[in-house]
Amino acid sequence: MMSLCTPLHIVQLLRAGKINAAAEWLKTKQESAEYWRAAGIFHAWRHDWQATQLVFQRALDSRAPDAIWWCDLGLALIGSGAAEQALEALKKSLALEESARTLVHSGETLELLARDAEAHDRFARAAELDPEFADAEEGLLRACCKLGRDDQALPHAKRHARLRRFDARSLQLLADTQFSSSNLQTCLRTYRRAIRTDPESPAIRSAYLFAAIHDLRQTPASLRAMHEEWFRRHAPDREAHEFPNGAREKLRIGYVSIEFRSSPTEYFLLPLLEAHDREQFEIYCYHFWRSNDAVTDKYKQASTHWRDIATASEDEMLRTMRQDELDILIDASGHFAPRLMSALARRAAPVQVALPIYPATRGCPEMDYILSDRWTTPDGAAEAQYVEHVWRIPAGYVVYAPPPDAPEACELPAQANGYITFGLFQRPAKFNDELWRAAGAILQRTPGSHLLVHHGTRDLDEPESGTRARIRQILAAHGVAKERIDFAGRREIRQHMETVAQADIALDTFPYSGHTTTGDALWMGVPVVTFAGGTHASRVSCGLVARIGLDDWVASSLEEYVEIAVAKAQDRGALGALRSELRRRMANSSVCQARLVVRELEEAYRAMRAAATRAV
């Protein structure tokens, strides 16, 4: 006769890694509400969310309502991507018992639905109920970051790390927050501590790599070596797999990304997909994000075939891509999605190409090419920074589609203000001492000028915020009075573009230059001074400004960067004339001609596939 089942025992077996034993143990138990709950835990452990949902619902149907069990059903629904239904299940749980655990899961569900202010309130209530609940502090940390409250995020990150006894995960979150708060060297030290705590975590090392791209001390060679180290430590060996031999007349091109959603990437990735010739190419999109929004629908419309793979295991992702028999797979995420890196290392298509939205080599020996151009990768010496072979797109690999509701460019603000306004529009992680030294020198040598600091943190709109105070303190050390520094925080897209237009000249960051923000500035008639260094990340703005004929705005040294900004500010007549024609020049350039760029890109894809066929 079968014995009764207790969920605790199944948890103990699963935590011990005895998955097969857990499955066999379940077979010996008689059906009951407890049995169905234990079965739900088993299926959830295996990420079989559909089965999890079914058995948890069966458990609830077998007995009177229970707060914990409604919470379990909510978790199963979250795992299966049914966020709205999950929220309803969690509400039922909270109606029976207000627990910190359920409040946190409710907050997590609201995050998936992009209801970040409500999520913050749930996490705050959970922390109030249980001040020692680390998950509540982690939720508050995430919510503050999403809401642009950087000053509040860092204390939550520190408290979370203390509650977690500085384990690897909490150290990574602390480093992430330090990175966003422009504490680069501190964050790099914290990342290294996290790596020492858990050397086997690919996600921590990927986050460290992205932060390192911002570090002035790194060289093209050191960044390549660091990325190669990731694959030596974390990636599995390529496994034998027979791909179709020879290219079809109608090529199958796959794009895999975490960016098929509302993000700055929309303005340069979506135009590429929309411009593909559907008579000649089938476009497969592999969506590696757990939620969708209105922009996701645009990506779906731009694809021939759509695949949701966010909840898939690595084996399932790889199997899906291989079964689609792609000719070429384009990775548009890089180390922003470390789990994808392992799949690419096992090879999902006969040709694998890096689209450098992640602006560095992947470090993966199974990536065949990286897309670039003659501005971003000007010569053979620059090619040495990549593991991949460089394939230059003649017209330039970056395109920019301006926001459809962008306002018209206004006249030069200096005409009305009586002084030059320099704009700094990049995220704080790109700030460093050398940038502030250059900005200070530029302001000192341009009498009466102002600096407008604008990025997506709401702290900049708070007169007494720590972010404002830090920037003022830094620039005061370079002789710049606080009255000459203006701030603007998070804005909706039209207001953001209007804010950018308040500047006469934009100052690019280095060694990690602008991308979307550079496109925004140029579209609003604001020329960008950029310092082109030796790494891919340092030369993206260089390509954008050069392609619209602003080669004389590109510096090759810090000193030249300052000289260009000062000299350009002195000729307001030339600035006004340039502003009046900059949008037209940009619209007529390859930067905004997605069809031109994509035709060249498609030629490259055919040549890549043909080369792979000949190699076989």
Side-chain angles (χ1 to χ4, degrees):
M1 181 177 178
M2 289 188 173
S3 59
L4 293 175
C5 179
T6 59
L8 178 59
H9 188 66
I10 201 82
V11 170
Q12 291 171 338
L13 288 171
L14 292 170
R15 286 179 175 171
K18 299 177 180 179
I19 297 176
N20 292 335
E24 291 300 318
W25 184 79
L26 277 172
K27 292 178 182 179
T28 68
K29 307 304 168 188
Q30 64 187 31
E31 293 186 5
S32 66
E34 293 286 351
Y35 168 83
W36 293 118
R37 188 183 179 206
I41 293 169
F42 174 76
H43 291 306
W45 192 276
R46 299 174 64 227
H47 290 190
D48 186 346
W49 298 114
Q50 185 175 7
T52 302
Q53 179 182 339
L54 289 172
V55 296
F56 273 149
Q57 185 62 61
R58 193 158 181 179
L60 284 163
D61 293 341
S62 302
R63 56 169 290 171
D66 183 289
I68 295 175
W69 290 20
W70 276 117
C71 183
D72 288 342
L73 177 60
L75 293 178
L77 289 164
I78 293 172
S80 60
E84 291 283 3
Q85 296 94 317
L87 193 60
E88 289 304 312
L90 293 166
K91 284 181 180 177
K92 291 178 180 179
S93 177
L94 288 169
L96 293 168
E97 178 188 356
E98 187 185 37
S99 73
R101 174 175 176 264
T102 307
L103 282 164
V104 164
H105 293 319
S106 180
E108 292 166 347
T109 310
L110 289 164
E111 285 182 287
L112 292 176
L113 296 169
R115 293 160 60 177
D116 296 320
E118 294 176 72
H120 178 276
D121 292 344
R122 298 291 173 91
F123 294 133
R125 177 57 181 157
E128 182 181 345
L129 285 177
D130 185 355
E132 300 301 309
F133 192 21
D135 288 354
E137 287 295 332
E138 182 177 344
L140 282 168
L141 163 60
R142 289 196 309 272
C144 287
C145 290
K146 290 179 180 179
L147 293 169
R149 302 173 183 172
D150 289 353
D151 281 355
Q152 297 176 29
L154 193 54
H156 288 303
K158 291 177 178 178
R159 177 164 174 76
H160 174 257
R162 288 195 298 271
L163 291 172
R164 290 289 189 194
R165 299 182 182 274
F166 299 96
D167 64 5
R169 170 65 177 157
S170 68
L171 286 168
Q172 180 188 353
L173 290 174
L174 176 56
D176 292 345
T177 312
Q178 291 166 337
F179 172 71
S180 299
S181 302
S182 190
N183 296 313
L184 182 63
Q185 296 308 320
T186 302
C187 98
L188 290 172
R189 287 193 295 271
T190 307
Y191 278 131
R192 288 192 289 268
R193 181 180 173 186
I195 290 171
R196 290 193 300 271
T197 303
D198 183 5
E200 302 306 315
S201 170
I204 296 174
R205 197 176 295 272
S206 284
Y208 175 64
L209 290 177
F210 179 58
I213 296 172
H214 297 70
D215 188 0
L216 280 164
R217 301 174 302 177
Q218 299 299 330
T219 66
S222 69
L223 288 173
R224 171 174 173 161
M226 292 166 67
H227 284 76
E228 288 178 304
E229 177 70 8
W230 191 100
F231 282 89
R232 279 195 294 271
R233 286 184 171 272
H234 302 300
D237 293 333
R238 177 184 174 181
E239 55 200 53
H241 180 78
E242 291 296 326
F243 292 101
N245 186 16
R248 305 171 184 81
E249 184 62 28
K250 191 173 185 177
L251 290 189
R252 296 181 180 181
I253 309 297
Y255 287 84
V256 57
S257 181
I258 62 170
E259 299 287 355
F260 296 147
R261 56 192 170 92
S262 180
S263 77
T265 306
E266 168 190 354
Y267 300 105
F268 46 91
L269 178 57
L270 184 57
L272 290 180
L273 298 183
E274 291 177 331
H276 270 301
D277 183 352
R278 294 304 187 279
E279 296 298 318
Q280 300 294 321
F281 297 87
E282 286 187 71
I283 305 302
Y284 291 72
C285 283
Y286 300 91
H287 180 42
F288 196 60
W289 193 253
R290 290 181 62 179
S291 60
N292 299 339
D293 55 29
V295 177
T296 306
D297 293 336
K298 294 180 182 179
Y299 281 107
K300 285 183 179 180
Q301 294 169 11
S303 65
T304 315
H305 305 278
W306 182 265
R307 308 283 189 255
D308 283 298
I309 61 169
T311 59
S313 67
E314 184 182 311
D315 286 343
E316 290 168 338
M317 283 191 287
L318 202 61
R319 184 163 53 250
T320 298
M321 294 175 185
R322 287 175 175 175
Q323 287 175 347
D324 285 335
E325 295 189 348
L326 301 173
D327 291 289
I328 299 176
L329 178 63
I330 314 299
D331 167 44
S333 289
H335 285 275
F336 295 136
R339 201 154 62 90
L340 283 174
M341 293 292 93
S342 290
L344 293 173
R346 294 166 63 185
R347 191 168 281 274
V351 179
Q352 298 191 146
V353 181
L355 176 61
I357 291 170
Y358 176 86
T361 182
R362 303 304 192 262
C364 176
E366 295 300 325
M367 294 299 293
D368 302 294
Y369 302 99
I370 188 167
L371 298 173
S372 191
D373 52 44
R374 59 190 171 95
W375 300 279
T376 312
T377 312
D379 51 34
E383 292 180 8
Q385 68 185 293
Y386 312 105
V387 170
E388 307 88 344
H389 296 291
V390 176
W391 197 293
R392 293 178 179 84
I393 304 301
Y397 80 93
V398 179
V399 298
Y400 172 81
D405 60 346
E408 291 298 318
C410 59
E411 69 172 14
L412 192 72
Q415 302 290 8
N417 294 333
Y419 57 81
I420 289 290
T421 299
F422 295 98
L424 183 57
F425 305 131
Q426 307 295 339
R427 51 189 169 80
K430 296 184 180 183
F431 299 165
N432 55 57
D433 291 344
E434 290 298 284
L435 172 69
W436 292 124
R437 183 166 72 85
I442 291 166
L443 291 164
Q444 285 282 64
R445 292 177 55 186
T446 310
S449 61
H450 281 222
L451 177 67
L452 170 61
V453 182
H454 165 52
H455 55 76
T457 173
R458 298 192 190 280
D459 293 337
L460 287 185
D461 291 322
E462 299 295 330
E464 303 304 320
S465 76
T467 303
R468 281 190 176 204
R470 285 192 297 273
I471 292 174
R472 284 175 173 153
Q473 183 178 16
I474 291 168
L475 287 172
H478 295 284
V480 180
K482 66 178 182 179
E483 292 77 19
R484 296 174 64 189
I485 310 168
D486 304 313
F487 298 96
R490 182 174 294 184
R491 301 286 186 271
E492 295 301 323
I493 187 62
R494 182 179 177 86
Q495 288 70 41
H496 158 70
M497 300 296 275
E498 290 172 345
T499 303
V500 168
Q502 294 173 19
D504 301 287
I505 295 172
L507 300 178
D508 198 13
T509 47
F510 50 84
Y512 198 126
S513 68
H515 199 153
T516 311
T517 45
T518 297
D520 292 345
L522 296 172
W523 189 250
M524 295 309 299
V526 183
V528 180
V529 183
T530 185
F531 173 13
T535 64
H536 188 112
S538 72
R539 300 187 64 88
V540 175
S541 287
C542 163
L544 290 170
V545 301
R547 287 162 62 190
I548 60 173
L550 300 182
D551 304 73
D552 55 332
W553 289 76
V554 180
S556 58
S557 68
L558 186 60
E559 291 71 26
E560 189 180 10
Y561 177 91
V562 173
E563 293 299 328
I564 290 173
V566 172
K568 298 295 186 183
Q570 291 172 351
D571 192 342
R572 296 187 189 178
L575 273 179
L578 178 59
R579 191 180 186 93
S580 66
E581 67 174 23
L582 198 52
R583 179 171 292 191
R584 178 187 58 80
R585 286 171 63 170
M586 190 175 180
N588 292 333
S589 75
S590 64
V591 173
C592 291
Q593 298 291 326
R595 290 191 180 277
L596 168 63
V597 171
V598 171
R599 292 296 85 80
E600 294 184 353
L601 192 60
E602 290 171 344
E603 290 179 17
Y605 289 165
R606 287 202 177 280
M608 291 173 186
R609 187 64 179 98
T613 301
R614 289 194 300 270
V616 173

